[in-house]
Amino acid sequence: MKGVSYRGNRICFGKYALQALEPAWITSRQIEAGRRAMTRYARRGGKIWVRIFPDKPVTLRPAETRMGSGKGSPEYWVSVVKPDRILYEMGGVSETVARAAMEIAARKMPIRTKFHRENNKDFLVLTLRHRRNRKRAYRNILKRISRPGLRIYSNSQRIPRISGGIGVVILSTSRGIMTDREARLERIGGEILGGLSNVTPPTLVNTSRRLPGMKEQKLIHEGLITESLPNGMFWVRLDNEDLVLGYVSGRIRRSFIRILPGDRVKIEVSRYDSTRGRIIYRLRNKDSND
């Protein structure tokens, strides 16, 4: 197996954990043996979490049988484990007890493991500024960008900017949770979890043309398609160098209008969320301002 585990590689429940260093198939018997060894050493103290589950069946054919006549019957179940995957978590006990219990559980595993403890650096603290003597209060808008149905990933050069760089973009990287500024300094990308904008309505400046009959909370911008994503999603770079995640409108879908990277489009963006927009029109070469 190639690669490392990008999910399940952090402590989520307990304070101490046993982490895998090699890829392997761990059987259900080995998982249960490690759990029982930790429980008996801790004398039913604390709490133990098993972070892996044997969900892959393994079939075997009886010995000295001819070829053919179908596939063999399932014999046992395994869990596919990659490096950096958390196997067990433990809490409610001292570090000495947890380390000794996990050393016994590590002997039941067919791979090399290491003892891992909780690190407070995995938490992200955001301090929002608030000015006094303002007639209108600030709007702290936290928007979720990446969803279970559509994971949005970006490298350090294509991280979107919220509100012209005033807002904060939260990313999940291989080094933990980071903001967009920290990710650009470290030159590392990851999954875009969400964005936080802290702006007032008067600070939004509309530099684009407004279409007739458009609602007040919608702004129309022109931009360039830089990259195509699944499910009709595109990265659109606006004329002010902002990167917006756009989706195709229903009218374009019904008209079977094809949009490719390099096309200039009109995108409709809400003033309350400047990271997402709806592509409503594809500009022709003669309609472009270039």
Side-chain angles (χ1 to χ4, degrees):
M1 290 181 288
K2 298 182 179 179
V4 296
S5 177
Y6 292 100
R7 296 182 181 179
N9 56 359
R10 297 190 183 92
I11 297 179
C12 298
F13 304 100
K15 194 174 180 181
Y16 311 101
L18 186 67
Q19 192 173 24
L21 298 179
E22 297 175 350
W25 284 2
I26 301 181
T27 64
S28 58
R29 292 178 176 269
Q30 295 169 344
I31 297 174
E32 180 64 16
R35 187 197 65 82
R36 289 187 179 184
M38 296 172 61
T39 304
R40 291 173 180 174
Y41 184 86
R43 297 181 181 180
R44 300 184 182 275
K47 194 171 183 179
I48 299 173
W49 291 269
V50 181
R51 294 292 305 275
I52 55 177
F53 184 81
D55 55 354
K56 182 181 179 65
V58 177
T59 60
L60 289 178
R61 295 288 301 275
E64 298 181 1
T65 56
R66 294 180 179 273
M67 297 177 61
S69 69
K71 190 176 176 64
S73 60
E75 292 292 332
Y76 57 93
W77 295 74
V78 298
S79 175
V80 181
V81 175
K82 292 184 178 182
D84 295 341
R85 175 73 187 215
I86 298 296
L87 305 179
Y88 302 97
E89 291 189 19
M90 198 170 186
V93 295
S94 62
E95 183 178 355
T96 305
V97 175
R99 187 182 293 272
M102 290 187 178
E103 285 181 359
I104 299 176
R107 299 190 187 103
K108 310 292 184 180
M109 299 293 107
I111 55 176
R112 293 186 300 110
T113 58
K114 73 173 182 178
F115 179 78
H116 185 59
R117 60 181 301 176
E118 184 182 14
N119 190 359
N120 295 329
K121 294 183 179 180
D122 293 339
F123 296 92
L124 177 67
V125 179
L126 297 178
T127 303
L128 304 180
R129 298 180 179 179
H130 180 76
R131 295 182 182 179
R132 298 180 180 178
N133 301 328
R134 298 286 295 187
K135 295 182 179 180
R136 297 186 180 181
Y138 275 84
R139 294 178 181 268
N140 299 330
I141 306 170
L142 180 61
K143 293 292 184 179
R144 183 178 181 180
I145 298 178
S146 184
R147 301 177 184 275
L150 179 62
R151 301 285 182 177
I152 305 299
Y153 298 91
S154 175
N155 55 16
S156 59
Q157 299 177 355
R158 296 186 176 182
I159 299 176
R161 298 178 183 270
I162 298 180
S163 301
I166 302 177
V168 179
V169 179
I170 304 174
L171 296 93
S172 174
T173 65
S174 59
R175 300 181 185 177
I177 305 297
M178 291 186 180
T179 61
D180 54 343
R181 297 177 180 86
E182 296 175 348
R184 291 190 185 96
L185 291 176
E186 297 290 339
R187 295 182 179 180
I188 186 173
E191 181 182 358
I192 304 177
L193 300 180
L196 181 66
S197 60
N198 190 12
V199 297
T200 57
T203 57
L204 291 174
V205 180
N206 183 10
T207 58
S208 61
R209 296 178 296 175
R210 190 180 295 275
L211 294 180
M214 186 60 61
K215 297 181 180 180
E216 290 298 328
Q217 65 270 19
K218 299 295 183 179
L219 303 177
I220 306 300
H221 297 273
E222 292 185 6
L224 181 68
I225 301 292
T226 59
E227 184 180 356
S228 61
L229 301 174
N231 300 328
M233 308 287 285
F234 299 91
W235 281 117
V236 182
R237 185 175 297 278
L238 305 182
D239 295 338
N240 56 0
E241 298 300 328
D242 288 346
L243 200 60
V244 179
L245 181 64
Y247 60 93
V248 180
S249 63
R251 181 175 297 179
I252 294 180
R253 289 178 182 269
R254 289 193 301 268
S255 303
F256 299 99
I257 299 177
R258 190 176 184 182
I259 297 178
L260 299 174
D263 295 342
R264 289 192 60 85
V265 295
K266 286 185 179 180
I267 184 169
E268 184 184 61
V269 181
S270 172
R271 65 174 60 197
Y272 300 109
D273 185 9
S274 59
T275 61
R276 287 175 172 266
R278 184 177 64 170
I279 301 174
I280 59 175
Y281 186 74
R282 186 190 68 178
L283 297 174
R284 301 177 182 177
N285 294 331
K286 61 180 181 180
D287 296 339
S288 177
N289 296 329
D290 298 342

